[in-house]
Amino acid sequence: MTLKMRNLLLGSTIALIAGTASAAGTLIYCSEGSPEGFDPARYVTGTTFDASAETIFNRLVEFTPGSTQIRPGLAEKWEVSSDNLTYTFTLRKGVKFHTTPYFKPTRDFNADDVIFTFSRFTDKNHPFNKAAPTDFPYASDMGMDSNLVAIEKVDANTVRMKLKSVDAAFLQNLAMSFASIQSAEYADSLLKAGKATQLNTQPIGTGPFVFKSYQKDANIRYDANKEYWRKGDVQVDKLIFAITTDASVRYQKLQKGECHVMAYPKPADLKAMQTNPKLTVPTQAGFNTGWLSYNVKHKPFDKLEVRQALDMAINKKSIIDAVFQGAGQPATSLFPPTQWSHNKTLKDAAYNTAKAKELLKKAGVAEGTEIALWAMPVQRPYNPNAKLMAEMIQNDWAKIGIKAKIVTYEWGEYIKRAKAGEADAMLIGWTGDNGDPDNWVGPNMSCDAIGGSNYAQWCHKEFDGLVLKGRNTINQAERVKIYEKAQAIIKAELPITTIAHSTVYQPMRKEVTGFKISPFGLNSFYGVGLK
């Protein structure tokens, strides 16, 4: 069979699936990339959370769809002690874990599952961690692994958690994707069978959709959870993630009805989408920031003058005009303007190639110095076209005598290598996960986050003290002052150059009902159906 014939056959198959999607109650989502795995605790990217946490799992508390407000999840209620150090959760009864060809539960969700889930974060010697060694980046980056000093089973339906220090965002953190509740019974069966790593490839949860199969770079298939505990959240019989890395191809599939919802449109396509009678394109201000991270452990980025030079040599206005095409605004801070405690007083250094050259000369950087500039292979809410952005930065830096070689990897590999500190300078960004300012500084800039999402490998003693102080302070007015000062330190030290905040657009077909844009950049299908 020729390649052309095979592609035609594949296209016909996809069209056939799409043609019967509405009748069969199958919702098809054109996603932007392959997940790194299906154990949410191990990862930090929205691509992976969409495919795992937002479909297969639940948390103790959850965010109301489309909102930053928390609501009861697997915990139907909770109490907080007067000193804000003890949280007691009353668990929901009658919640079923998924039944699949590879696992059949013998009991309902209970306290043992909560104990197992969080013990993985806090106990490095936990038997499951020894059998399947891994890192838990969110738990460690936010200090949960060291701050959560006790997890007690009061009874089968009650769990008590004790903190060493006050964490103002603790409940919001528990609602984040990484805190998805795993089945202790399933984990125990895998441990006994010597298959602990299967937790990441054949997931079992309590969520609205049951994992069926995964073909890397092709598709993920789910069945509806007919026993789902939150009535009304499951509106379709099947859910398919059609993994489509090219935004133009995603748009073509959406137009043809080969998918119902697509991720991350190209800004250039938005006008046509908005005038297409078969589509709707809801939008809202993005809770995100895109930036360029400098690895301060690599020369010459260890020198502040070099980072200042590279920063002021970037023509942000041109980049935002070309890359975001009206759907972005300049970012002067790590925090987006919609995050309370955003520091409005911060200003970018003026674009100035002459001064940048002087700074490089002062720092002893020779003209023609070569560096690697990493560009993401996928679209993200904070960067719709990393390749173009990298090319424009490459051109800007050439004007000051810096030769940047553009490097990219498959998304999972890109993140893995960046965590290991391989990048010189890299394009990356963040969409807020829980509405709290700690979520911006802790996971991205703290000393604890080196080896996690602190790709700059930057550790600043005063800044780190502010991160802890902000986390341990309850009074919001005091927290605002703390985080404004933390943002000012980032601006002065420049471990990153903030580029832009983008507006979020969510194209979908008009037959889709109930879809809400997540302020956290996730794509969730709770309550989503088809007319």
Side-chain angles (χ1 to χ4, degrees), residues 61-84:
V61 296
E62 300 190 339
F63 293 108
T64 301
S67 167
T68 60
Q69 298 300 310
I70 58 172
R71 65 177 180 177
L74 293 178
E76 59 184 13
K77 61 181 180 179
W78 52 88
E79 294 178 0
V80 185
S81 63
S82 58
D83 62 3
N84 292 289

Side-chain angles (χ1 to χ4, degrees), residues 24-299:
T26 298
L27 180 70
I28 302 175
Y29 167 56
C30 276
S31 68
E32 79 287 4
S34 295
E36 299 150 275
F38 292 90
D39 176 3
R42 299 176 57 168
Y43 304 108
V44 299
T45 68
T47 304
T48 296
F49 291 155
D50 287 349
S52 57
E54 298 302 305
T55 49
I56 301 163
F57 294 98
N58 292 117
R59 274 68 56 201
L60 289 176
V61 296
E62 300 190 339
F63 293 108
T64 301
S67 167
T68 60
Q69 298 300 310
I70 58 172
R71 65 177 180 177
L74 293 178
E76 59 184 13
K77 61 181 180 179
W78 52 88
E79 294 178 0
V80 185
S81 63
S82 58
D83 62 3
N84 292 289
L85 293 175
T86 303
Y87 292 73
T88 303
F89 297 92
T90 300
L91 307 182
R92 197 176 297 276
K93 296 178 182 177
V95 175
K96 311 290 183 186
F97 278 100
H98 301 157
T99 295
T100 70
Y102 51 89
F103 179 70
K104 184 175 182 179
T106 65
R107 62 164 176 81
D108 292 348
F109 157 75
N110 67 27
D112 292 335
D113 305 305
V114 181
I115 302 293
F116 168 73
T117 297
F118 290 94
S119 293
R120 293 172 73 203
F121 303 159
T122 60
D123 181 6
K124 291 181 180 178
N125 294 315
H126 191 286
F128 202 88
N129 290 345
K130 286 189 172 183
T134 187
D135 294 324
F136 302 107
Y138 257 128
S140 59
D141 293 357
M142 297 190 301
M144 184 183 286
D145 57 347
S146 57
N147 198 36
L148 185 55
V149 292
I151 316 160
E152 301 170 354
K153 178 181 178 180
V154 179
D155 57 43
N157 297 296
T158 312
V159 173
R160 184 176 294 128
M161 296 186 182
K162 294 184 178 180
L163 306 182
K164 181 168 59 178
S165 305
V166 171
D167 184 345
F170 186 64
L171 283 173
Q172 284 86 349
N173 293 342
L174 294 183
M176 289 167 56
S177 298
F178 82 94
S180 295
I181 302 298
Q182 296 278 0
S183 164
E185 184 185 19
Y186 178 49
D188 188 53
S189 71
L190 293 178
L191 200 58
K192 289 176 180 175
K195 298 179 179 179
T197 55
Q198 192 171 300
L199 194 79
N200 192 38
T201 58
Q202 293 186 309
I204 293 291
T206 59
F209 296 97
V210 181
F211 176 79
K212 292 294 290 182
S213 65
Y214 169 49
Q215 286 183 285
K216 186 175 173 63
D217 298 331
N219 62 67
I220 316 169
R221 295 176 180 271
Y222 311 85
D223 283 346
N225 180 4
K226 300 297 185 183
E227 297 183 302
Y228 191 51
W229 55 272
R230 198 190 293 279
K231 304 303 178 189
D233 267 9
V234 183
Q235 296 284 327
V236 293
D237 296 324
K238 295 181 183 296
L239 174 65
I240 296 173
F241 277 36
I243 300 165
T244 313
T245 56
D246 188 310
S248 297
V249 178
R250 290 199 295 275
Y251 179 31
Q252 290 169 12
K253 288 184 177 183
L254 189 70
Q255 288 177 295
K256 295 174 183 177
E258 293 177 10
C259 59
H260 299 102
V261 181
M262 71 166 277
Y264 313 125
K266 288 171 63 176
D269 292 333
L270 286 169
K271 189 172 182 180
M273 289 178 177
Q274 290 165 330
T275 57
N276 187 323
K278 294 182 179 180
L279 306 181
T280 180
V281 190
T283 183
Q284 69 181 31
F287 193 50
N288 60 55
T289 307
W291 65 79
L292 176 70
S293 181
Y294 305 108
N295 188 334
V296 299
K297 291 185 178 178
H298 286 197
K299 293 183 180 298

Side-chain angles (χ1 to χ4, degrees), residues 6 18 56 64 225 250 337 367 413 419 475 477 525:
R6 188 159 61 244
I56 301 163
T64 301
N225 180 4
R250 290 199 295 275
E367 188 165 343
E413 189 71 9
K419 286 180 181 178
N475 183 281
F525 297 94

Side-chain angles (χ1 to χ4, degrees), residues 372-389:
L373 171 59
W374 289 26
M376 298 172 296
V378 297
Q379 284 182 275
R380 304 305 302 142
Y382 48 76
N383 192 334
N385 192 337
K387 182 176 182 290
L388 175 58
M389 187 181 290

